[in-house]
Amino acid sequence: MAYFNEMMEASLEHLDAEISALISSELSRQRTHIELIASENFVPRAITEGLGSILTNKYAEGYPHKKYYGGCEFVEQIEEIAIERAKKLFGADHANVQPHSGSTANQAAYFSVMKPGDGMLAMRLDHGGHLSHGHPLNFTGLMYKITAYGVNPETETIDYDEVAHLARESRPKVIVAGASAYPRRIDFARFRAVADEVGAILVTDMAHIAGLVAGGVHDNPTPHSQFVTSTTHKTLRGPRGAFVLCNAEYARDLDRTVFPGVQGGPLLPAVAAKATCFKLAGEPEFKVYASQVIKNASALCAKLQEKGLRVVSGGTDNHIVLLDLRSRKITGKAAEKALEAAGITTNKNAIPFDPEKPMVTSGLRLGTPAVTSRGMKEEEMSLVADAIDEVLSAAEDENVIRTVRARMAELGAAFPLYESI
Ligand code: DSN
C-alpha cells in the first residue's frame, strides 16, 4: 500500500528519471533553437495543462448525451464546449472534435462519402500535397483511383484550369483542396465551382492554414466546402490533434465514420486542450498573432531573396517560404543538417519538378508560426535570414556553424519560452 500511494503521487522525475531527463533536454532544445518547421508551433502552457490532465483516465466512446460509458457528465460538457467553439470559430454547421490526427480526420471525411474504388482528385505530394491526398503507399492511394493536380511550371502556383480539366476527365467523387507545402493563397471558391460542375464533393484540408483562417488573414474554406479537415497543432497553436467540420447534411455520416468507423474512445485530454485552443483562437490577440505570422514570413522571404536565394513561386502569401537551393549547390537534406547544427530547425522539402529524390530534395521549407509565438518580429526574421544565408554558403565550415549557433542561442534567450515550466 505504501508503494502504491508513493508511486501514485510521485513526480515523473522521481519515477522515470530517464524519460524526465529527455523531456528536459527537449525543452532546452526548444528554447535554444530557432524553430522554423512550418507545421510546428509552441502551445500556451494552459494547453499543456489540459493535455497532461487526469482526463486521460476516462473512456467516453460515443458523443455527448449518447456515450457508451457511465461517469461522462463532465467530459461530455468539455466535448460539447469544444464542438460549439469549433463551429463558431469557423462558421460551420457541424464539428467533430475527436479525430486523433490530420490523417484520421481526412480518413473520416473520405469514408463518410467514398467507397473503395471511387475517384479522388488531389494535389501531388511532390508539388505540396499531403500523404493522405493520394500517395500510393497511403490508404488513399491504395483504396481510391487518384488523379493528381500540380502547379504550373512557370508560376509554380496551382493551375486552376488544369484542376478543372482533370476534374472533367476523371469525374472524381471527391476533390481535395489544401496542401502541406504551398506558400500561396488557395482559391476555395474556384475549387468549389469545379467540384459543383462535375458533381464532386469538396474536402478542404486546412491543417496548415487553420490559424490564419481563424485569425482572419486567409479566406475561410468552410462556406465553400462540404467538409473541412484540420489539425490543431500548426498555425492554430493547439494540441497535437485534429477535427472535421461539415455541412449539416453530412453530420450523421461523419460522426458515425469517426466513431465507431475509424476510432474508439476519444483522447479526452486532447479534446479539452482543443476546446482551449478554439477559445484562444477566437480572441482579438489571435488576429494580431496570425497577421504577424504572415508579416514574418514575408520579411524572411524578402531578405532571403535579397541574398540571392530562389523562392518557389517568387514569394509567399502565408506562413511558408519554400526555398530552391539548387543555385547554392546544396541539397535539402544537407541544408537541413547544417542548419540544425547551427541552431535553426527546418525540414528538407521537395520543390515542384524536383530532380532529387524525396529523401534528399532540392528544397527547404521554412515557416514562421513558432518563432512568431515566441514574440519575434520582422527585425528578428532579418537576423535569421542572415544566419540561414551564412550557413547555406558555408555548410561544411565548422567555425561558421559554431558562430551562428551561438548567435541563434542568444536570439532565443532574448525571447524566453516556458519560464514557468
Ligand atoms: N507532416 C505535416 C507537415 O509537416 O506539414 C503535415 O501533416
Side-chain angles (χ1 to χ4, degrees):
M1 195 64 188
Y3 168 77
F4 179 78
N5 288 340
E6 225 176 84
M7 183 273 291
M8 288 299 277
E9 299 299 331
S11 66
L12 180 63
E13 191 182 1
H14 186 78
L15 275 192
D16 190 346
E18 206 178 352
I19 292 298
S20 173
L22 287 168
I23 294 175
S24 296
S25 299
E26 171 60 14
L27 174 60
S28 159
R29 188 196 68 80
Q30 292 187 12
R31 284 177 173 149
T32 52
H33 283 59
I34 302 302
E35 181 53 71
L36 290 182
I37 292 182
S39 49
E40 294 189 8
N41 211 331
F42 297 117
V43 295
R45 185 196 158 139
I47 299 273
T48 69
E49 285 180 26
L51 279 174
S53 70
I54 47 73
L55 293 174
T56 199
N57 298 333
K58 190 74 195 95
Y59 251 119
E61 284 178 6
Y63 292 99
H65 310 297
K66 284 177 284 179
K67 294 286 186 191
Y68 287 84
Y69 290 83
C72 285
E73 66 202 280
F74 301 113
V75 294
E76 60 192 356
Q77 286 181 58
I78 291 172
E79 185 171 346
E80 274 184 306
I81 291 171
I83 290 168
E84 288 313 311
R85 287 179 182 169
K87 282 164 59 178
K88 184 162 174 238
L89 189 61
F90 297 104
D93 290 348
H94 181 73
N96 187 306
V97 297
Q98 295 190 6
H100 305 329
S101 72
S103 201
T104 316
N106 283 345
Q107 193 178 16
Y110 304 152
F111 284 10
S112 296
V113 289
M114 293 175 90
K115 289 194 294 300
D118 280 347
M120 172 191 280
L121 175 61
M123 194 163 186
R124 291 168 57 162
L125 180 74
D126 57 350
H127 283 205
H130 185 254
L131 287 168
S132 62
H133 298 176
H135 188 276
L137 296 178
N138 184 260
F139 76 92
T140 45
L142 297 168
M143 286 182 69
Y144 304 125
K145 266 191 288 179
I146 305 295
T147 307
Y149 59 85
V151 297
N152 177 293
E154 302 297 318
T155 61
E156 296 174 304
T157 58
I158 292 171
D159 186 336
Y160 292 94
D161 291 335
E162 191 206 13
V163 174
H165 170 73
L166 292 171
R168 283 179 204 122
E169 273 197 339
S170 64
R171 313 297 294 188
K173 180 85 190 204
V174 158
I175 297 180
V176 182
S180 289
Y182 185 66
R184 295 301 190 170
R185 262 169 207 287
I186 297 178
D187 188 342
F188 300 117
R190 194 112 181 244
F191 266 106
R192 179 58 185 264
V194 173
D196 283 350
E197 186 194 321
V198 300
I201 289 164
L202 181 60
V203 175
T204 298
D205 178 344
M206 68 165 179
H208 261 267
I209 57 165
L212 307 181
V213 172
V217 294
H218 194 294
D219 300 333
N220 184 358
T222 316
H224 304 288
S225 318
Q226 282 95 339
F227 290 83
V228 175
T229 66
S230 183
T231 51
T232 36
H233 51 266
K234 298 187 176 86
T235 48
L236 202 51
R237 202 162 61 182
R240 201 153 284 280
F243 64 102
V244 184
L245 310 172
C246 70
N247 290 353
E249 64 184 295
Y250 298 107
R252 196 173 137 81
D253 287 333
L254 173 67
D255 284 351
R256 283 155 54 128
T257 307
V258 173
F259 172 83
V262 297
Q263 287 188 179
L267 305 178
L268 295 167
V271 171
K274 286 174 205 178
T276 307
C277 155
F278 297 138
K279 175 178 192 284
L280 296 174
E283 292 178 351
E285 293 77 8
F286 198 84
K287 290 193 193 316
V288 179
Y289 164 70
S291 152
Q292 189 64 47
V293 167
I294 289 189
K295 285 184 201 160
N296 282 352
S298 301
L300 185 66
C301 182
K303 190 69 188 280
L304 289 167
Q305 285 175 307
E306 235 177 85
K307 299 277 180 191
L309 276 150
R310 196 182 87 79
V311 168
V312 170
S313 84
T316 178
D317 301 324
N318 57 25
H319 60 299
I320 293 175
V321 178
L322 191 55
L323 292 180
D324 174 355
L325 303 172
R326 286 174 297 180
S327 68
R328 295 289 173 104
K329 308 271 180 274
I330 185 169
T331 62
K333 184 180 175 184
E336 177 191 305
K337 191 160 171 254
L339 286 166
E340 170 93 55
I344 300 173
T345 318
T346 63
N347 65 278
K348 61 182 170 293
N349 211 101
I351 55 170
F353 312 102
D354 202 323
E356 297 285 355
K357 293 196 184 89
M359 287 304 284
V360 179
T361 83
S362 306
L364 196 67
R365 187 184 66 165
L366 311 176
T368 53
V371 284
T372 308
S373 289
R374 279 188 91 155
M376 294 186 194
K377 295 215 165 79
E378 289 91 327
E379 201 182 316
E380 287 75 35
M381 293 306 99
S382 176
L383 299 176
V384 171
D386 283 339
I388 292 173
D389 174 55
E390 276 173 59
V391 172
L392 294 182
S393 310
E396 309 280 333
D397 188 329
E398 282 179 18
N399 279 335
V400 170
I401 302 285
R402 200 176 318 113
T403 323
V404 171
R405 189 182 176 93
R407 268 183 11 232
M408 292 302 101
E410 208 178 300
L411 179 61
F415 293 86
L417 184 66
Y418 301 133
E419 286 181 293
S420 58
I421 288 183

